[in-house]
Amino acid sequence: MSSTEETTRPEEIRAVPVRHYGRWIAGVIIAFLAFIVIRSVVTNAHMQWDVVGDYLFNDRVLRGLQNTLILTVISMLIGVVGGILLAVMRMSPNPLSAGAAGTFIWLFRGTPLITQLIIWNYLALFYPRLGIGIPFGPEFVSADTNSLISQFSASLLGLGLNEAAYMAEIVRGGILSVDAGQLEAAAALGLSRVKTLRRIILPQAMRVIIPPTGNETIAMLKTTSLVVTIGYFELMVATQQIYSQNFKIPPLLIVAALWYLFMTSVLTLIQMQIEKYFARGTTRANAQRQTWTNRMLGFRFGNRDQGGQR
């Protein structure tokens, strides 16, 4: 290489990181405000943290917590199974099946959940007796509605069927996310619609279905508190009964809030593991590698992408 070429060659570009002074200032302000809030909560005598410790593992609180978890699990099972059936019916070429599913979804999504809970609890006012028989003919089996619909069953019917309406749209969106060529390939192989759905469509759709389903589960955990309107004993009812006797309202509300925060945190961690399992072998697998602070609190540390930009 000649000396002329060496002198005319441009200098190497020196990349200078951009200084984000606004971010540092905002971070300092947020940290200062967070310190003030945390200090006020910890040192506030009206919080009565000693009473919170006394009632955190109270027998009635734990019994209400158990009922809350039972309601959440069974209601979500009803919602998921019902949502899958409704989604399949909604996408069926049979207009009667599609219309029935659409009407169900319209009805249960269009009315408030608290109204549905009250209607199920007082179903005897609409139908004093429930039975099975021939329309406009004799009944083979019948029973008093009040003996069939208890507070527990009314809670499950209200929560589960309402959740099924929302899960139907989540499942339908997941099924529609699968490429149509998968259906054509399955049909070419001679697979039935049931086998195609079970072995090909749903396993791929789960990557889209799982995240909103996890959110619905967390929401269901907190929505169970609405059964207080019909008097079923769960976590909020337990704390209400206690503070109606001792008038220690703030610490008992904190007890309920702490248990809800703990359970939602556990459910979030479970959701992260399930998402990671169904994201195996895809480009989304790396995106699922996040800490619990990233997922639940939104804190991100280190590089945001592979390019090293912050």
Side-chain angles (χ1 to χ4, degrees):
M1 181 180 296
S2 63
S3 59
T4 306
E5 292 177 349
E6 291 180 356
T7 56
T8 57
R9 188 176 62 180
E11 296 181 0
E12 294 183 357
I13 299 175
R14 297 176 58 188
V16 179
V18 179
R19 306 299 182 186
H20 300 285
Y21 297 107
R23 296 182 183 178
W24 287 101
I25 295 173
V28 172
I29 294 174
I30 292 173
F32 179 70
L33 293 176
F35 171 76
I36 294 176
V37 172
I38 294 173
R39 182 180 179 278
S40 68
V41 170
V42 173
T43 59
N44 191 342
H46 298 287
M47 297 289 186
Q48 304 179 50
W49 290 107
D50 55 334
V51 180
V52 172
D54 293 337
Y55 284 96
L56 191 60
F57 298 99
N58 181 270
D59 291 338
R60 280 191 287 180
V61 171
L62 293 180
R63 186 152 45 90
L65 176 65
Q66 179 184 9
N67 290 343
T68 295
L69 292 174
I70 292 174
L71 273 182
T72 301
V73 172
I74 300 179
S75 298
M76 281 307 301
L77 286 175
I78 296 173
V80 170
V81 174
I84 294 175
L85 293 176
L86 288 169
V88 174
M89 292 173 61
R90 184 81 183 273
M91 302 179 68
S92 172
N94 187 331
L96 293 178
S97 297
T103 302
F104 182 96
I105 295 171
W106 166 77
L107 179 63
F108 282 87
R109 289 203 309 172
T111 54
L113 175 57
I114 191 170
T115 303
Q116 297 174 30
L117 286 169
I118 295 174
I119 289 176
W120 284 114
N121 189 56
Y122 293 103
L123 188 63
L125 297 178
F126 303 92
Y127 298 97
R129 295 189 66 84
L130 296 175
I132 301 175
I134 300 175
F136 309 105
E139 290 184 350
F140 301 123
V141 178
S142 64
D144 183 66
T145 304
N146 281 325
S147 62
L148 294 176
I149 304 297
S150 62
Q151 291 178 338
F152 178 67
S153 58
S155 301
L156 288 181
L157 287 171
L159 295 172
L161 295 181
N162 181 269
E163 184 61 34
Y166 287 93
M167 281 302 304
E169 294 301 291
I170 293 175
V171 174
R172 188 171 70 92
I175 293 175
L176 291 175
S177 68
V178 180
D179 189 84
Q182 302 285 337
L183 293 172
E184 298 174 359
L189 293 174
L191 295 178
S192 64
R193 288 179 61 88
V194 176
K195 286 186 178 180
T196 301
L197 181 68
R198 181 167 55 90
R199 297 184 179 181
I200 297 176
I201 303 301
L202 280 181
Q204 298 181 70
M206 290 298 287
R207 297 168 186 165
V208 178
I209 294 173
I210 288 298
T213 302
N215 294 337
E216 287 293 314
T217 304
I218 293 173
M220 175 64 72
L221 176 67
K222 296 173 290 185
T223 305
T224 54
S225 60
L226 289 180
V227 300
V228 66
T229 57
I230 61 176
Y232 182 70
F233 188 83
E234 47 80 54
L235 181 57
M236 277 304 300
V237 174
T239 56
Q240 284 182 347
Q241 288 182 357
I242 296 174
Y243 71 61
S244 64
Q245 296 172 353
N246 59 17
F247 302 103
K248 297 182 181 297
I249 299 176
L252 266 302
L253 292 178
I254 293 174
V255 167
L258 289 176
W259 276 119
Y260 280 119
L261 285 172
F262 172 75
M263 291 187 293
T264 53
S265 301
V266 172
L267 289 177
T268 301
L269 294 175
I270 295 173
Q271 178 185 350
M272 289 172 58
Q273 296 302 317
I274 296 175
E275 288 182 20
K276 189 181 300 182
Y277 173 80
F278 282 100
R280 293 177 305 170
T282 65
T283 56
R284 291 176 54 192
N286 292 331
Q288 302 297 334
R289 296 172 185 171
Q290 49 190 345
T291 62
W292 70 272
T293 54
N294 187 342
R295 183 59 178 268
M296 288 187 287
L297 305 179
F299 295 146
R300 288 194 292 250
F301 302 98
N303 294 339
R304 289 188 177 182
D305 50 41
Q306 295 179 352
Q309 299 178 356
R310 288 182 180 269

